[in-house]
Amino acid sequence: DTAVSQTPKYLVTQMGNDKSIKCEQNLGHDTMYWYKQDSKKFLKIMFSYNNKELIINETVPNRFSPKSPDKAHLNLHINSLELGDSAVYFCASSQASGRIYEQYFGPGTRLTVT
Amino acid sequence: AQTVTQSQPEMSVQEAETVTLSCTYDTSESDYYLFWYKQPPSRQMILVIRQEAYKQQNATENRFSVNFQKAAKSFSLKISDSQLGDAAMYFCARRGGATNKLIFGTGTLLAVQP
């Protein structure tokens, strides 16, 4: 049983293209996140949705557009890809209430822009 | 700034020995959560241990324990009886306020020598 899944795991594309990464969680959590891990392994929050509502948008270029069709899914669409977008993108989920805040991560999507 | 600092970019330990990874953080909150995540070469982010700031008792999970010094804003991870499978990048993280985002340190790469 995969708790948080992402597709695809690897994505190689050319500059200027548009691509999407999908995320699904079956943990019954109400909050989902996107993190970016750069080439130096630094992890930084990009977006967060709680019950399909955007609650965090950390000064990410508007070429990045998250979409949450329901509580269990959070997709990330990237327009006009640039070389600097190459990174590993992690989806995560957690429960926002009940004082249990640990986040569970998906396997990551390694995006390479050439 | 609300930061998390890991001052040891790399550490090495002999199999079966004990190693301690350091982490300090900055926060103006009185109630917060701290976490250690492990990222092996598979890149999966795995939760190792968590600490609630309002609890004085240090958290333990089998061979993993923390030394939480709230006044000093220090949260170190001790790994006892190190195993080859413990080799990974370890990230310290703090829950960032009501938005629940995780603020990560820069990571410590742990090598385990046989």
PDB file of all heavy atoms in Angstrom, chain A residues 50-62:
ATOM      1  N   ASN A  50      -4.866  22.938   1.927  1.00  0.00           N
ATOM      2  CA  ASN A  50      -5.629  22.329   3.001  1.00  0.00           C
ATOM      3  C   ASN A  50      -7.083  22.225   2.540  1.00  0.00           C
ATOM      4  O   ASN A  50      -7.701  23.243   2.223  1.00  0.00           O
ATOM      5  CB  ASN A  50      -5.525  23.153   4.283  1.00  0.00           C
ATOM      6  CG  ASN A  50      -6.406  22.598   5.394  1.00  0.00           C
ATOM      7  OD1 ASN A  50      -7.514  23.068   5.615  1.00  0.00           O
ATOM      8  ND2 ASN A  50      -5.909  21.595   6.079  1.00  0.00           N
ATOM      9  N   ASN A  51      -7.595  21.014   2.463  1.00  0.00           N
ATOM     10  CA  ASN A  51      -8.959  20.808   1.980  1.00  0.00           C
ATOM     11  C   ASN A  51      -9.211  21.544   0.667  1.00  0.00           C
ATOM     12  O   ASN A  51     -10.202  22.274   0.529  1.00  0.00           O
ATOM     13  CB  ASN A  51      -9.981  21.249   3.031  1.00  0.00           C
ATOM     14  CG  ASN A  51     -10.135  20.225   4.126  1.00  0.00           C
ATOM     15  OD1 ASN A  51     -10.152  19.024   3.875  1.00  0.00           O
ATOM     16  ND2 ASN A  51     -10.224  20.698   5.354  1.00  0.00           N
ATOM     17  N   LYS A  52      -8.298  21.388  -0.251  1.00  0.00           N
ATOM     18  CA  LYS A  52      -8.380  21.952  -1.610  1.00  0.00           C
ATOM     19  C   LYS A  52      -8.166  23.456  -1.666  1.00  0.00           C
ATOM     20  O   LYS A  52      -8.294  24.056  -2.727  1.00  0.00           O
ATOM     21  CB  LYS A  52      -9.713  21.598  -2.286  1.00  0.00           C
ATOM     22  CG  LYS A  52      -9.998  20.114  -2.405  1.00  0.00           C
ATOM     23  CD  LYS A  52     -11.144  19.823  -3.346  1.00  0.00           C
ATOM     24  CE  LYS A  52     -12.442  20.382  -2.846  1.00  0.00           C
ATOM     25  NZ  LYS A  52     -13.558  20.160  -3.805  1.00  0.00           N
ATOM     26  N   GLU A  53      -7.839  24.068  -0.537  1.00  0.00           N
ATOM     27  CA  GLU A  53      -7.628  25.513  -0.520  1.00  0.00           C
ATOM     28  C   GLU A  53      -6.134  25.819  -0.380  1.00  0.00           C
ATOM     29  O   GLU A  53      -5.457  25.273   0.499  1.00  0.00           O
ATOM     30  CB  GLU A  53      -8.395  26.145   0.641  1.00  0.00           C
ATOM     31  CG  GLU A  53      -8.263  27.660   0.705  1.00  0.00           C
ATOM     32  CD  GLU A  53      -9.003  28.234   1.910  1.00  0.00           C
ATOM     33  OE1 GLU A  53      -9.848  27.508   2.480  1.00  0.00           O
ATOM     34  OE2 GLU A  53      -8.724  29.378   2.278  1.00  0.00           O
ATOM     35  N   LEU A  54      -5.631  26.718  -1.226  1.00  0.00           N
ATOM     36  CA  LEU A  54      -4.219  27.088  -1.177  1.00  0.00           C
ATOM     37  C   LEU A  54      -3.937  27.874   0.093  1.00  0.00           C
ATOM     38  O   LEU A  54      -4.559  28.906   0.346  1.00  0.00           O
ATOM     39  CB  LEU A  54      -3.872  27.936  -2.406  1.00  0.00           C
ATOM     40  CG  LEU A  54      -2.422  28.409  -2.519  1.00  0.00           C
ATOM     41  CD1 LEU A  54      -1.492  27.222  -2.745  1.00  0.00           C
ATOM     42  CD2 LEU A  54      -2.287  29.421  -3.644  1.00  0.00           C
ATOM     43  N   ILE A  55      -2.987  27.404   0.914  1.00  0.00           N
ATOM     44  CA  ILE A  55      -2.662  28.116   2.141  1.00  0.00           C
ATOM     45  C   ILE A  55      -1.220  28.585   2.189  1.00  0.00           C
ATOM     46  O   ILE A  55      -0.873  29.432   3.001  1.00  0.00           O
ATOM     47  CB  ILE A  55      -2.975  27.266   3.396  1.00  0.00           C
ATOM     48  CG1 ILE A  55      -2.252  25.914   3.352  1.00  0.00           C
ATOM     49  CG2 ILE A  55      -4.473  27.074   3.545  1.00  0.00           C
ATOM     50  CD1 ILE A  55      -2.380  25.123   4.648  1.00  0.00           C
ATOM     51  N   ILE A  56      -0.367  28.021   1.357  1.00  0.00           N
ATOM     52  CA  ILE A  56       1.022  28.469   1.288  1.00  0.00           C
ATOM     53  C   ILE A  56       1.414  28.627  -0.174  1.00  0.00           C
ATOM     54  O   ILE A  56       1.189  27.739  -0.984  1.00  0.00           O
ATOM     55  CB  ILE A  56       2.012  27.472   1.933  1.00  0.00           C
ATOM     56  CG1 ILE A  56       1.740  27.291   3.418  1.00  0.00           C
ATOM     57  CG2 ILE A  56       3.465  27.939   1.732  1.00  0.00           C
ATOM     58  CD1 ILE A  56       2.621  26.226   4.062  1.00  0.00           C
ATOM     59  N   ASN A  57       1.983  29.784  -0.492  1.00  0.00           N
ATOM     60  CA  ASN A  57       2.572  30.001  -1.806  1.00  0.00           C
ATOM     61  C   ASN A  57       3.857  30.780  -1.552  1.00  0.00           C
ATOM     62  O   ASN A  57       3.819  31.980  -1.297  1.00  0.00           O
ATOM     63  CB  ASN A  57       1.625  30.779  -2.712  1.00  0.00           C
ATOM     64  CG  ASN A  57       2.206  30.963  -4.110  1.00  0.00           C
ATOM     65  OD1 ASN A  57       3.409  30.819  -4.333  1.00  0.00           O
ATOM     66  ND2 ASN A  57       1.361  31.270  -5.072  1.00  0.00           N
ATOM     67  N   GLU A  58       4.971  30.065  -1.571  1.00  0.00           N
ATOM     68  CA  GLU A  58       6.230  30.662  -1.125  1.00  0.00           C
ATOM     69  C   GLU A  58       6.970  31.331  -2.271  1.00  0.00           C
ATOM     70  O   GLU A  58       7.993  30.834  -2.725  1.00  0.00           O
ATOM     71  CB  GLU A  58       7.115  29.594  -0.470  1.00  0.00           C
ATOM     72  CG  GLU A  58       6.613  29.114   0.856  1.00  0.00           C
ATOM     73  CD  GLU A  58       7.021  30.011   1.999  1.00  0.00           C
ATOM     74  OE1 GLU A  58       8.174  30.474   2.015  1.00  0.00           O
ATOM     75  OE2 GLU A  58       6.184  30.243   2.874  1.00  0.00           O
ATOM     76  N   THR A  59       6.487  32.416  -2.739  1.00  0.00           N
ATOM     77  CA  THR A  59       7.145  33.226  -3.782  1.00  0.00           C
ATOM     78  C   THR A  59       7.703  32.375  -4.901  1.00  0.00           C
ATOM     79  O   THR A  59       8.860  32.503  -5.303  1.00  0.00           O
ATOM     80  CB  THR A  59       8.263  34.108  -3.187  1.00  0.00           C
ATOM     81  OG1 THR A  59       9.250  33.271  -2.572  1.00  0.00           O
ATOM     82  CG2 THR A  59       7.699  35.068  -2.180  1.00  0.00           C
ATOM     83  N   VAL A  60       6.885  31.470  -5.362  1.00  0.00           N
ATOM     84  CA  VAL A  60       7.263  30.618  -6.481  1.00  0.00           C
ATOM     85  C   VAL A  60       6.841  31.320  -7.771  1.00  0.00           C
ATOM     86  O   VAL A  60       5.779  31.938  -7.800  1.00  0.00           O
ATOM     87  CB  VAL A  60       6.561  29.249  -6.350  1.00  0.00           C
ATOM     88  CG1 VAL A  60       6.886  28.356  -7.524  1.00  0.00           C
ATOM     89  CG2 VAL A  60       6.958  28.585  -5.044  1.00  0.00           C
ATOM     90  N   PRO A  61       7.677  31.272  -8.836  1.00  0.00           N
ATOM     91  CA  PRO A  61       7.269  31.907 -10.091  1.00  0.00           C
ATOM     92  C   PRO A  61       5.900  31.429 -10.546  1.00  0.00           C
ATOM     93  O   PRO A  61       5.529  30.263 -10.335  1.00  0.00           O
ATOM     94  CB  PRO A  61       8.363  31.443 -11.073  1.00  0.00           C
ATOM     95  CG  PRO A  61       9.533  31.109 -10.229  1.00  0.00           C
ATOM     96  CD  PRO A  61       8.991  30.607  -8.927  1.00  0.00           C
ATOM     97  N   ASN A  62       5.145  32.335 -11.183  1.00  0.00           N
ATOM     98  CA  ASN A  62       3.785  31.940 -11.556  1.00  0.00           C
ATOM     99  C   ASN A  62       3.753  30.977 -12.730  1.00  0.00           C
ATOM    100  O   ASN A  62       2.667  30.603 -13.198  1.00  0.00           O
ATOM    101  CB  ASN A  62       2.908  33.164 -11.807  1.00  0.00           C
ATOM    102  CG  ASN A  62       3.489  34.060 -12.881  1.00  0.00           C
ATOM    103  OD1 ASN A  62       4.377  33.653 -13.624  1.00  0.00           O
ATOM    104  ND2 ASN A  62       3.003  35.288 -12.962  1.00  0.00           N
TER     105      ASN A  62
END
